[in-house]
């Protein structure tokens, strides 16, 4: 193979997940080739909601300011009964843990254009549109480069590129999923829904959040997307149309609880249906997300009903989790076992949000089998309990389970901060106000509430981690309070801002760091700088 046909990473699919993965890899110095069958951004909206964790990911790829200009904060999610009375409300704050509104509404083509513009500014990234990938092959042990075979538009000739790693961001019909031998696990939700996007200047009755209508005969979803843009989703058979004279009259009846539309053709100019599309909402999880150096991300790895707005969010979380690990292996010689933590960490979270979305779906419709009425009653009753609604509002991203890169320690309050995200307050450094992540940089970071001990400093040096004392950051006390609640003197933050390990109050050192250090040390380091040979503190 020629040097021109060999790439560190090939990304299949230039949707938001694929482009974000390429941008994150570029931040870590890893070049990539992105292959996409379409030549331009898909012009119609699909995903319309992101949370504050995803806004933080967009910050890391440098598009958050432009995204803020086109996004609308939303107040949260309401469950309404058939008469549009509130059953439960899941409030979302305009100031979330990650430094952004907890829920933002947007138009997906706008986001994709921002991401592609950012990609074009990165010399490490190349995007080839009008290219259809036809196969992905690798040897059995996964040690040789992966071969990606593709064809350009209008050509019947196969071309090949070899990659050290391939990211399958190619959606629900993923060819990459077949290449890794993955099959779907069915999580038992499948319904036919119609999505209708509308532009109207007519007065619309909205609370500036998302409405979910819990009605077994006519469930629906409603949300405002922009100044004059709205989306409705209705459970309808695939053969029912909402265009033409008869269809328009049915649509008028369906949207009547929110907006008054004249019957017939009157008022057609101020109630424009931009598109309507039929979707089958499914709940599925791939049984494996990796084979050798081929990985699945986004809809290739998991499918969720859209009822809590986590479909795109889950895919961008995949990209954030995998990119820094893959960069560490490809550029710094970290142990190959580091890549095993991708599925181990992301799959339980994907299962959690899918099940939560299915529970909301059951609250809306109850499903279609004999247990539907009972499930609907149970879920509906649970949603009326304040503690349940508070937990759902808070925990769309629960702590990662303990593992090689999440070291939970006895002696810390509860399970300690490990596995959770560090908050991102606004801080002032050298007289300039900025967000915390801009100070932390792209690698590991040691955040301390006390002067760092020699052992802490050795850990930071071994991982090229920035060492930051919270007293040097002029914030509102968020970081000091957060460390105090976790009974930690210091935390070691991964590049994705998850707490990997914590120093308990008074301990002075990370207890036995060898488990994560053995995965993270690099081949280029000398023995005395390896984190698995760090000096042990004698502090009890």
């Amino acid at each position: 193979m020629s040097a021109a046909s060999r790439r560190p990473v090939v990304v299949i699919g230039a949707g938001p997940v694929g482009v974000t993965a390429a941008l994150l890899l570029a931040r870590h110095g890893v070049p990539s080739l992105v292959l996409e069958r379409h030549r331009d951004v898909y012009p119609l909206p699909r995903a319309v909601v992101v949370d504050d964790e995803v806004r933080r990911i967009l910050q890391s790829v440098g598009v958050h300011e432009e995204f803020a200009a086109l996004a609308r904060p939303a107040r949260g999610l309401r469950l309404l009964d058939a008469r549009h009375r509130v059953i439960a409300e899941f409030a979302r704050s305009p100031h979330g843990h990650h430094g952004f509104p907890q829920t933002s509404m947007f138009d997906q083509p706008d986001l994709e254009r921002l991401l592609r513009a950012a990609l074009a500014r990165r010399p490490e990234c190349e995007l080839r549109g009008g290219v259809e990938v036809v196969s992905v092959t690798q040897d059995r042990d996964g040690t040789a480069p992966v071969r990606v075979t593709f064809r350009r538009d209008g050509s019947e000739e196969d071309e090949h590129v070899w990659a050290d790693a391939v990211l399958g961001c190619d959606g629900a019909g993923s060819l990459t999923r077949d290449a890794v031998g993955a099959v779907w696990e069915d999580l038992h939700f499948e319904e036919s829904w119609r999505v209708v996007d509308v532009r109207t200047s007519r007065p619309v009755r909205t609370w500036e959040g998302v409405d979910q209508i819990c009605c077994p005969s006519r469930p629906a979803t409603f949300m405002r997307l922009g100044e004059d843009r709205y989306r409705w989703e209705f459970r309808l058979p695939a053969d029912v149309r909402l265009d033409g004279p008869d269809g328009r009259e049915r649509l008028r009846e369906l949207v009547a609880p929110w907006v008054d539309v004249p019957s017939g053709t009157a008022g057609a100019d101020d109630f424009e249906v931009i598109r309507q599309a039929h979707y089958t909402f499914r709940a599925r999880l791939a049984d494996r997300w990796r084979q050798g150096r081929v990985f699945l991300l986004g809809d290739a790895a998991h499918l969720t009903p859209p009822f809590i707005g986590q479909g795109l969010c889950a895919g961008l979380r995949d990209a954030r989790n995998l990119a820094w690990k893959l960069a560490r292996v490809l550029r710094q010689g970290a142990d190959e076992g580091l890549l095993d933590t991708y599925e181990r960490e992301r799959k339980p979270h994907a299962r959690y949000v899918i099940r939560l979305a299915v529970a909301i779906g059951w609250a809306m419709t109850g499903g279609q089998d004999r247990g539907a009425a009972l499930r609907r009653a149970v879920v509906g009753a649970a949603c009326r309990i304040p503690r349940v609604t508070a937990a759902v509002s808070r925990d769309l991203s629960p702590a990662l389970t303990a593992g090689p890169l999440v070291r939970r320690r006895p002696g810390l309050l509860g399970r300690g901060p490990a596995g959770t995200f560090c908050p991102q307050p606004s801080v002032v450094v050298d007289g300039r106000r900025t967000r915390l992540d801009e100070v932390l940089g792209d690698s590991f970071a040691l955040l301390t509430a006390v002067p760092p001990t020699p052992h802490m400093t050795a850990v930071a040096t071994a991982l090229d981690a920035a060492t930051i004392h919270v007293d040097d950051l002029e914030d509102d006390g968020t970081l000091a309070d957060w460390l105090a609640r976790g009974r930690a003197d210091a935390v070691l933050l991964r590049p994705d801002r998850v707490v990997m390990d914590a120093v308990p109050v008074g301990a002075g050192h990370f207890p036995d760091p060898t488990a994560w250090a053995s995965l993270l040390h690099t081949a280029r380091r000398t023995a005395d700088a390896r984190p698995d040979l760090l000096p042990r503190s004698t502090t009890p």
Side-chain angles (χ1 to χ4, degrees), residues 119-190:
L119 194 75
R121 295 191 293 267
R122 300 295 311 211
E124 304 92 341
C125 304
E126 179 187 350
L127 170 62
R128 291 186 193 172
V131 170
E132 182 179 3
V133 175
V134 296
S135 69
V136 177
T137 56
Q138 61 181 328
D139 61 7
R140 289 188 177 182
D141 63 6
T143 57
V146 183
R147 188 175 75 169
V148 179
T149 304
F150 61 91
R151 294 175 190 160
R152 300 177 190 268
D153 279 352
S155 173
E156 296 182 359
E157 182 179 351
D158 287 347
E159 298 181 51
H160 309 284
V161 61
W162 282 261
D164 295 313
V166 172
L167 308 189
C169 306
D170 46 348
S174 170
L175 174 145
T176 316
R177 188 174 57 251
D178 295 336
V180 304
V183 296
W184 285 126
E185 175 189 353
D186 187 354
L187 299 182
H188 309 297
F189 189 96
E190 184 168 326

Side-chain angles (χ1 to χ4, degrees), residues 23 48 90 135-136 146 165 197 199 213 274 291 299-300 304 316 346-347 357-359 415 441 464-465 491:
L23 288 169
V48 293
F90 305 98
S135 69
V136 177
V146 183
D197 289 311
R199 177 179 288 112
I213 311 305
I274 301 171
Q291 178 66 39
D299 286 353
T304 179
L316 295 181
R346 285 294 306 135
K347 192 172 185 179
V358 168
R415 293 179 296 180
D464 296 325
V491 290

Side-chain angles (χ1 to χ4, degrees), residues 352-370:
Y352 172 87
V353 296
I354 292 171
R355 285 179 169 169
L356 185 56
V358 168
I360 296 296
W362 281 348
M364 294 173 67
T365 70
Q368 311 303 316
D369 58 17
R370 266 185 279 179

Side-chain angles (χ1 to χ4, degrees), residues 59-127:
Q59 175 191 348
S60 70
V61 298
V63 302
H64 61 292
E65 292 183 357
E66 296 96 328
F67 183 78
L70 57 86
R72 293 177 62 87
R75 292 176 58 185
L77 168 69
R78 295 191 310 186
L79 301 186
L80 309 180
D81 65 14
R83 296 170 61 184
H84 286 232
R85 296 173 299 187
V86 177
I87 299 172
E89 181 175 320
F90 305 98
R92 305 295 278 165
S93 169
H95 305 289
H97 184 79
H98 297 276
F100 298 97
Q102 284 188 297
T103 299
S104 299
M105 314 297 295
F106 70 103
D107 191 8
Q108 181 171 332
D110 289 342
L111 172 60
E112 293 200 35
R113 292 185 190 99
L114 290 181
L115 290 170
R116 288 200 181 193
L119 194 75
R121 295 191 293 267
R122 300 295 311 211
E124 304 92 341
C125 304
E126 179 187 350
L127 170 62

Side-chain angles (χ1 to χ4, degrees), residues 143 171 216 222 258 283 303 423 444 513:
T143 57
F222 164 72
W258 296 275
L303 297 174
F444 290 82

Side-chain angles (χ1 to χ4, degrees), residues 423 425 447-449 469-471 473 475-488:
L447 195 64
T448 73
H469 196 296
V470 296
D471 288 349
L473 301 173
D475 71 339
D476 57 2
T478 296
L479 295 171
D481 291 345
W482 173 69
L483 288 167
R485 287 196 304 272
R487 297 191 63 187

Side-chain angles (χ1 to χ4, degrees), residues 281-507:
F281 295 159
R282 294 184 172 93
R284 293 181 175 178
L285 198 62
D287 66 337
R288 64 166 65 176
W289 293 23
R290 176 195 177 197
Q291 178 66 39
R293 287 286 186 87
V294 182
F295 303 85
L296 303 180
L297 295 82
D299 286 353
H302 41 73
L303 297 174
T304 179
F307 304 124
I308 57 172
Q310 285 292 300
L312 176 60
C313 295
L316 295 181
R317 288 184 172 100
D318 295 343
R320 179 70 154 162
N321 185 284
L322 177 59
W324 74 267
K325 298 172 181 176
L326 185 56
R328 192 98 187 167
V329 171
L330 294 181
R331 283 185 55 83
Q332 295 178 277
D335 191 283
E336 190 84 10
L338 181 61
L339 302 176
D340 293 333
T341 66
Y342 165 60
E343 179 179 342
R344 177 172 178 168
E345 292 183 347
R346 285 294 306 135
K347 192 172 185 179
H349 180 269
R351 186 184 299 274
Y352 172 87
V353 296
I354 292 171
R355 285 179 169 169
L356 185 56
V358 168
I360 296 296
W362 281 348
M364 294 173 67
T365 70
Q368 311 303 316
D369 58 17
R370 266 185 279 179
L374 176 60
R375 282 201 302 270
R376 188 165 55 252
V378 170
V379 174
C383 287
R384 288 181 168 90
I385 302 172
R387 287 185 179 179
V388 172
T389 57
V392 172
S393 297
R394 182 181 64 251
D395 290 334
L396 286 180
S397 191
L400 296 180
T401 56
L405 297 179
V406 176
R407 304 295 295 168
R408 295 214 172 119
R409 304 296 188 188
L412 295 173
L413 184 63
R415 293 179 296 180
T420 67
F421 282 94
C422 171
Q424 182 180 213
S426 173
V427 299
V428 176
V429 178
D430 297 329
R432 183 176 65 92
R433 183 164 294 280
T434 186
R435 291 183 170 90
L436 177 65
D437 286 359
E438 304 303 326
V439 180
L440 298 180
D442 295 326
S443 187
F444 290 82
L446 179 68
L447 195 64
T448 73
V450 298
T453 65
H455 188 274
M456 294 183 201
T457 301
V459 168
T461 300
L463 294 177
D464 296 325
T467 300
I468 298 172
H469 196 296
V470 296
D471 288 349
D472 296 331
L473 301 173
E474 297 180 35
D475 71 339
D476 57 2
T478 296
L479 295 171
D481 291 345
W482 173 69
L483 288 167
R485 287 196 304 272
R487 297 191 63 187
D489 277 343
V491 290
L492 185 60
L493 304 180
R494 307 181 339 182
D496 56 5
R497 302 307 161 225
V498 170
V499 178
M500 185 167 74
D501 210 341
V503 176
V505 170

